[in-house]
Amino acid sequence: MPSVSSPRKLSGLIVSLLTVVSLICTLATSAMAQVPDKPLEKTAEQANKNIQIFKGFPASKLRNTMFFFRYSLGVTCSHCHIFGQFDQDTKPAKAKAREMIKMVMDINKKHFEGRPEVNCYTCHQGSLTPRNEIPAVKMSVQSMLTARPGPPREEKSPDLPSVDDVISKYVAALGGNDALSKATSAVITGSMISSEGMISSREIDEVAPNMRLDIRRTGSEFGDMAEGFDGTAGWRNGNRGGGDLNGEALNEARMEAQFMPALHLRDLYTKLVVYGMEKLESEPAFVMTGISTITGKRERLYFGSQTGLLLRRSVITENYVGSITTDTYYEDYRPVNGIKTPMLISEYTPDSGSILKINRVEFNTQIDPAKFKKPSK
């Protein structure tokens, strides 16, 4: 057995060992620093040309911010831009838009700690000219004759159920926990019309826990448009191009792919609160708010106070200066293999919409997982 002949040699050996250990730790730390958990998202100016106002902002929110301007002023993109040359500064409206953006950002910085409380829609409300007058309302003779002043009426706050009560009633209304848990896949087919006048057939394939394929067949003129999520990765393919989904789009696809979300609402949302009631066309609804654990977006879920069914879902998408709401309505629920299923689903943004009429739903159909993978071509 080798021995160390002197304390000086022993000390030198210990120092050498410590140096090696220190070097290994340094290299490991350096490697970890060079390979972050998530790739850093590009900023607006890194992904686009001639960005002046939104430097340093995440690139993924630029598109929704542009839509927000469009909705707020009731104009199209060509009001400020030249199609195909979006970076050009030819149009005076683009310079004016930059001036206005700086104005609202300064207001929010000074009065609201930088939060986008004031934005284009605050004043424009869908009009190119800011609304600074309260319009008069023309009244009919009949309404004047039937008007009867009376004592002020005190509004009574409704008795609201708890979050757990709403969720339990929803699950029971759909068919119960046992029926929902037995479903492991679904094939949904139907026809859809969009606000652009386009009619297409649509097929949605879903497999638990989170695989989804949505295909829209629009005919030979436009071809098929597909979006898939295979449990990890998302992709899009169609006449407007395609590729991998990243950032916000990937999280949205992951959220939509959650199979039988009624069974997992407590996992899919945080800060769930039942805060009020709202009258929808079919019946009054309890309004539940929460934040998606997948997308980070605020949502409002409307459950029928009588039926317990989900009647509407509002998703709020934040951008640099405000937020845009997308509303989805669920109607005409019918039992399919013991599970109540909406046969009419419509979706609306501030300037577009679509209505899907479902013709057939099949549960527990065998579906090849390879179907959800991104096509090779």
Side-chain angles (χ1 to χ4, degrees):
M1 179 176 180
S3 61
V4 179
S5 58
S6 68
R8 180 177 295 178
K9 290 184 178 180
L10 178 60
S11 176
L13 178 60
I14 293 174
V15 171
S16 298
L17 289 172
L18 290 175
T19 301
V20 171
V21 171
S22 177
L23 179 60
I24 292 172
C25 291
T26 300
L27 291 173
T29 303
S30 176
M32 292 174 63
Q34 294 174 11
V35 184
D37 292 338
K38 295 182 179 179
L40 294 176
E41 181 178 352
K42 287 184 177 181
T43 60
E45 71 274 16
Q46 290 173 333
N48 302 273
K49 297 179 180 178
N50 196 18
I51 298 296
Q52 297 184 22
I53 301 296
F54 297 121
K55 290 181 178 179
F57 288 74
S60 63
K61 292 188 179 295
L62 181 63
R63 181 180 175 85
N64 280 328
T65 303
M66 295 296 109
F67 283 151
F68 184 85
F69 295 150
R70 195 177 84 187
Y71 302 150
S72 296
L73 275 66
V75 297
T76 63
C77 304
S78 61
H79 180 70
C80 293
H81 296 282
I82 299 174
F83 279 109
Q85 303 177 46
F86 287 92
D87 58 313
Q88 297 299 310
D89 293 336
T90 307
K91 295 192 173 183
K94 191 174 183 182
K96 188 65 175 180
R98 285 181 174 140
E99 182 183 331
M100 294 293 98
I101 295 166
K102 287 181 180 179
M103 180 188 73
V104 297
M105 292 176 82
D106 289 342
I107 292 172
N108 287 322
K109 183 178 180 180
K110 182 177 180 180
H111 298 284
F112 300 104
E113 300 179 340
R115 299 188 307 275
E117 300 291 343
V118 174
N119 53 49
C120 314
Y121 192 77
T122 305
C123 297
H124 285 268
Q125 298 184 33
S127 171
L128 188 58
T129 304
R131 299 185 182 277
N132 55 11
E133 298 177 357
I134 300 175
V137 178
K138 184 179 180 181
M139 300 176 66
S140 66
V141 174
Q142 184 64 27
S143 65
M144 292 180 181
L145 292 174
T146 56
R148 293 289 183 271
R153 185 178 63 182
E154 184 176 347
E155 295 288 343
K156 182 181 179 182
S157 299
D159 294 327
L160 300 176
S162 68
V163 169
D164 287 336
D165 286 343
V166 171
I167 294 176
S168 296
K169 188 175 181 179
Y170 176 41
V171 172
L174 290 177
N177 187 81
D178 289 343
L180 300 185
S181 299
K182 290 177 182 177
T184 58
S185 70
V187 176
I188 303 167
T189 55
S191 55
M192 188 180 80
I193 184 171
S194 70
S195 54
E196 295 87 4
M198 182 180 291
I199 299 175
S200 60
S201 62
R202 189 169 173 185
E203 179 180 321
I204 301 172
D205 298 331
E206 300 175 330
V207 172
N210 60 350
M211 292 193 289
R212 189 173 191 267
L213 176 63
D214 187 345
I215 302 176
R216 304 180 188 188
R217 296 184 170 88
T218 58
S220 57
E221 183 178 357
F222 296 102
D224 294 347
M225 292 177 283
E227 182 172 302
F229 186 78
D230 64 7
T232 304
W235 52 272
R236 185 179 291 135
N237 193 21
N239 62 330
R240 296 180 181 177
D244 296 328
L245 298 180
N246 297 291
E248 190 171 79
L250 177 61
N251 288 332
E252 289 172 352
R254 180 180 285 110
M255 185 70 178
E256 292 301 316
Q258 301 302 308
F259 191 74
M260 289 295 171
L263 296 175
H264 314 290
L265 289 180
R266 280 289 191 183
D267 297 322
L268 293 176
Y269 297 95
T270 61
K271 300 182 179 180
L272 285 172
V273 175
V274 180
Y275 81 93
M277 290 190 71
E278 186 168 325
K279 182 69 174 70
L280 302 184
E281 287 187 8
S282 56
E283 61 178 301
F286 295 118
V287 186
M288 182 188 294
T289 61
I291 300 175
S292 168
T293 57
I294 295 176
T295 66
K297 295 182 179 183
R298 293 181 290 121
E299 295 193 20
R300 293 188 295 269
L301 306 174
Y302 298 74
F303 297 92
S305 59
Q306 301 165 17
T307 63
L309 295 169
L310 179 64
L311 305 178
R312 173 176 157 188
R313 176 188 174 208
S314 298
V315 179
I316 297 89
T317 300
E318 306 287 346
N319 56 70
Y320 302 155
V321 295
S323 58
I324 299 171
T325 301
T326 301
D327 287 336
T328 303
Y329 291 85
Y330 306 92
E331 303 171 82
D332 192 20
Y333 277 86
R334 301 180 192 177
V336 179
N337 291 357
I339 299 175
K340 281 269 187 85
T341 304
M343 307 304 282
L344 193 66
I345 302 176
S346 53
E347 181 177 289
Y348 304 97
T349 68
D351 73 343
S352 65
S354 65
I355 300 174
L356 170 63
K357 184 179 184 301
I358 296 174
N359 301 322
R360 185 178 179 85
V361 178
E362 297 178 80
F363 289 113
N364 296 327
T365 299
Q366 191 70 29
I367 304 175
D368 185 356
K371 191 174 185 178
F372 302 94
K373 297 291 183 181
K374 178 183 175 182
S376 57
K377 292 183 180 181

